[in-house]
Amino acid sequence: MRELGVYAEVAPSETPASALTGRKGVIISGGPSSVYDAGSPTIDPALLTSGIPVLGICYGQQLIAHLLGGSVTKGDKGEYGFAQLDLVAHAVSDNGILQGVTGRQQVWMSHRDLVARPPEGFAVLAATSTCPIAAIGSTARKIYAVQFHPEVAHTPCGKTILANFVTSICGCEKDWDPAGQVLAVEEHIRQAAGGRNVFFFVSGGVDSTVAYTLCLRALGPDRVHGTYVDTGMMREGETEFVRRHFAALGAKAFFIEDARELFITALAGATEPEHKRHVIGEKFVEVQQRILESEHYLDGRWILGQGTIYPDTIESGGTAKADLIKTHHNRVAGIQKLLDEGRILEPLSSFYKDEVRAIGRQLGLGPELLDRDPFPGPGVAIRCLCSDTEDTLERVAEGFIIPVRSVGVQGDSRTYRPVLAIDVVPASDEETADLVNSNPDVNRVVGVALTCGPMDSFKVWPAHLTAERLDRLRRVDAIVRRLSHQSGFDHAIWQFPVVLIPLGIAKRPDSVVLRPIDSVDGMTARAVRIPSDLLGKMVRELMGVEGVAGVFYDLTNKPPATIEWE
């Protein structure tokens, strides 16, 4: 809605209809539950008879059908990622929600349950091969619903559908511009800080840099201090980059803390992604506490600033009915305690990544900062996958099941499953999606670029976060970034994670996975195919790195896979 220029808020699903009087419209979002689950999210049924226009999305469609006497069932198989939407005859002319949408449309799905029978008085507007009721509507009630996700960038007709709802059906007018919120955010910072100063632990990424700059503007450089913690999990050259650019921002009190030994020692033996994130988050708190105490930042004159943005909160299960997709490093127990005490300032917590960049441009920050690839706070630790055991690959009809688990999001819920490796790359995203949808035990498909020997000879080896493996990952990451920049490929993508997995042979125990993706806000993402000449150059250099047995590239969209592997 905000990308369309219309202000929107998020409220709990159980908000009484009486509290929504005067709203132009209401959207019921997707979610991980089934409408038949005990305690599943619901809405005040009076909302559906209030006269306020309503749009249901994914779970929202199922809930509307359920509450109004329709039928919801579990589908024969899940539908995750790309699907082809066919409009039912007269859908466009009879229902304003689909005005301007014609022909077969690519849409983005993430569901297992589906509507089997619509409520009385509702027309079926569209279908896919897996979902015969992919959109419904009642013009008389001004209630519409879609099983697919129009809000994501990978449903090209989605903005038209949402614009139809917000403008034609709800009658809204444009009143929102994220860049125009700078003065309001600065005023919020001044009010939240009061007479206190703000101290940041900055990462050098877009979010923390924009948040830090907003505080500098709102409070002045004398009232804003910052420390960059070098965890030893940083990219090659990262610390010097941060030192140089924060000096250019006009920061008077900016420090670099060398904590590499502390983090690598604490992570020894850690293999599970959630464990890694918790260890890193808690060690951040430990370092933070030591710095806060030694520099007297706990005497009541200081609060802690963070660059947390809205998707971080959503995917961390930060709303009551959302599922945990990942534990964000800004939401571990120690930092949650500070939040509960009212001692944390997060000026960007209601903004999405694209909105944060718009704010940064308004602040005059340069592209070398704003156009940087998003990089996870825990650093390369969550791109260096580990294993406690030795394991063999399983041969299947499509290729090999690699017993290295990665995190996915299917039906708006977190999954943690093995990976399917294939020799023959599918010709389309739809074919890749079909591979995942027809193999429920995996959530990710990778193509084999090159290996040092037959896949039958490969194993998953016991491996942990050692200095040797982290240096190996930094080296391959630097190669990929250099070649992407030289070729201009970095302008065609949003992010390019490079992952190290413990797969190979005894003398070459690791393999590299390339993960170039395109996205707008990080909530969904599309895997980008690497041009063959560039892929060839990358593979040749990467296979020359000591210990590397193979190069794969991730073909999976989000959903069903997350952007990062952990």
Side-chain angles (χ1 to χ4, degrees):
M1 293 298 100
R2 294 185 341 193
E3 286 180 10
L4 291 169
V6 174
Y7 178 71
E9 296 179 332
V10 178
S13 60
E14 297 87 352
T15 300
S18 59
L20 299 172
T21 301
R23 301 295 172 131
K24 289 284 192 178
V26 173
I27 296 175
I28 307 170
S29 77
S33 301
S34 169
V35 293
Y36 298 116
D37 289 344
S40 61
T42 190
I43 60 169
D44 182 350
L47 177 62
L48 300 179
T49 58
S50 66
I52 299 174
V54 175
L55 172 64
I57 295 174
C58 194
Y59 179 85
Q61 167 166 292
Q62 297 163 15
L63 184 60
I64 289 171
H66 177 63
L67 293 176
L68 293 179
S71 173
V72 178
T73 62
K74 187 174 291 296
D76 293 334
K77 64 178 183 177
E79 193 175 25
Y80 308 110
F82 287 108
Q84 295 295 328
L85 185 77
D86 292 307
L87 274 59
V88 174
H90 308 301
V92 175
S93 59
D94 292 346
N95 294 275
I97 195 74
L98 294 175
Q99 285 288 342
V101 180
T102 58
R104 172 169 277 196
Q105 294 287 330
Q106 170 190 294
V107 295
W108 197 273
M109 290 283 198
S110 184
H111 72 102
R112 183 65 186 264
D113 286 1
L114 48 77
V115 175
R117 176 173 50 82
E120 184 176 349
F122 279 73
V124 177
L125 308 180
T128 71
S129 60
T130 300
C131 183
I133 302 178
I136 57 176
S138 170
T139 304
R141 295 190 184 197
K142 295 185 180 179
I143 299 176
Y144 303 88
V146 295
Q147 184 58 62
F148 56 91
H149 287 268
E151 76 276 17
V152 306
H154 306 300
T155 298
C157 63
K159 279 199 174 178
T160 299
I161 293 171
L162 294 175
N164 287 336
F165 179 70
V166 72
T167 304
S168 302
I169 297 168
C170 297
C172 295
E173 298 178 357
K174 290 187 176 183
D175 61 356
W176 173 260
D177 174 14
Q181 305 304 309
V182 168
L183 294 179
V185 173
E186 290 177 359
E187 180 57 29
H188 165 71
I189 290 169
R190 285 188 284 267
Q191 290 183 4
R196 299 173 295 181
N197 301 327
V198 181
F199 178 78
F200 273 85
F201 288 96
V202 300
S203 68
V206 173
D207 305 331
S208 67
T209 303
V210 171
Y212 185 87
T213 305
L214 282 165
C215 288
L216 282 178
R217 283 176 47 122
L219 304 175
D222 292 329
R223 294 183 59 190
V224 183
H225 289 197
T227 290
Y228 168 86
V229 178
D230 186 347
T231 64
M233 307 296 152
M234 324 310 292
R235 281 175 156 176
E236 189 176 276
E238 183 72 10
T239 299
E240 286 309 309
F241 176 90
V242 172
R243 188 197 306 273
R244 183 172 67 256
H245 281 278
F246 272 77
L249 291 176
K252 288 186 177 179
F254 180 75
F255 312 97
I256 292 180
E257 178 78 8
D258 186 348
R260 290 174 291 181
E261 185 174 347
L262 173 69
F263 280 83
I264 194 68
T265 300
L267 287 164
T271 57
E272 295 293 315
E274 284 300 294
H275 183 207
K276 290 181 187 177
R277 284 182 178 270
H278 279 291
V279 168
I280 290 167
E282 294 301 341
K283 287 303 168 185
F284 259 115
V285 172
E286 181 180 316
V287 172
Q288 165 190 295
Q289 192 71 18
R290 174 168 50 79
I291 293 173
L292 293 176
E293 291 175 354
S294 64
E295 299 297 330
H296 308 291
Y297 291 128
L298 295 176
D299 61 6
R301 295 178 300 161
W302 295 87
I303 58 176
L304 181 67
Q306 292 195 144
T308 306
I309 63 174
Y310 195 48
D312 298 331
T313 303
I314 295 172
E315 293 197 330
S316 301
T319 55
K321 302 299 182 180
D323 197 59
L324 173 70
I325 306 301
K326 65 181 181 181
T327 296
H328 193 264
H329 62 287
N330 284 355
R331 285 291 183 269
V332 294
I335 289 182
Q336 188 64 48
K337 181 174 183 292
L338 295 177
L339 274 169
D340 295 340
E341 294 174 353
R343 293 178 50 212
I344 287 186
L345 173 64
E346 296 180 319
L348 300 175
S349 61
S350 62
F351 294 93
Y352 291 86
K353 178 73 76 172
D354 55 320
E355 294 182 323
V356 173
R357 286 198 169 101
I359 291 171
R361 286 190 288 272
Q362 183 73 15
L363 295 173
L365 298 179
E368 68 279 2
L369 282 168
L370 295 180
D371 294 344
R372 303 188 79 201
D373 282 358
F375 189 65
V380 295
I382 61 165
R383 291 181 177 176
C384 187
L385 275 63
C386 302
S387 174
D388 285 322
T389 59
E390 181 178 320
D391 211 342
T392 57
L393 281 58
E394 177 189 353
R395 165 72 82 169
V396 294
E398 300 89 350
F400 288 90
I401 301 293
I402 302 175
V404 171
R405 293 185 295 170
S406 73
V407 177
V409 52
Q410 292 169 284
D412 295 337
S413 294
R414 171 196 172 99
T415 60
Y416 191 43
R417 294 173 179 163
V419 177
L420 173 63
I422 56 175
D423 288 316
V424 180
V425 176
S428 67
D429 291 321
E430 290 79 7
E431 291 180 29
T432 303
D434 286 342
L435 281 172
V436 177
N437 293 339
S438 60
N439 288 274
D441 293 332
V442 305
N443 58 19
R444 203 176 291 262
V445 176
V446 298
V448 180
L450 185 66
T451 59
C452 66
M455 288 284 288
D456 301 89
S457 66
F458 275 32
K459 292 182 179 179
V460 171
W461 299 92
H464 298 94
L465 290 174
T466 62
E468 179 184 20
R469 295 191 74 224
L470 291 169
D471 285 343
R472 182 175 296 144
L473 177 52
R474 265 188 282 269
R475 184 176 175 191
V476 298
D477 176 75
I479 290 171
V480 170
R481 284 191 292 147
R482 171 172 51 81
L483 292 176
S484 294
H485 181 69
Q486 289 175 353
S487 66
F489 183 61
D490 56 351
H491 296 300
I493 56 176
W494 189 71
Q495 191 176 358
F496 200 156
V498 178
V499 183
L500 198 71
I501 60 175
L503 173 70
I505 59 176
K507 293 183 178 180
R508 294 172 172 246
D510 282 318
S511 287
V512 176
V513 181
L514 308 175
R515 175 68 165 143
I517 57 97
D518 184 34
S519 182
V520 173
D521 52 21
M523 296 299 293
T524 61
R526 180 174 186 169
V528 179
R529 305 295 176 97
I530 305 172
S532 57
D533 57 340
L534 175 60
L535 180 61
K537 291 179 182 178
M538 286 183 179
V539 168
R540 285 191 292 273
E541 283 207 42
L542 294 172
M543 290 296 289
V545 175
E546 184 178 356
V548 172
V551 179
F552 301 80
Y553 59 108
D554 194 335
L555 303 165
T556 327
N557 300 314
K558 176 185 180 181
T562 47
I563 293 175
E564 299 287 348
W565 276 48
E566 294 191 337

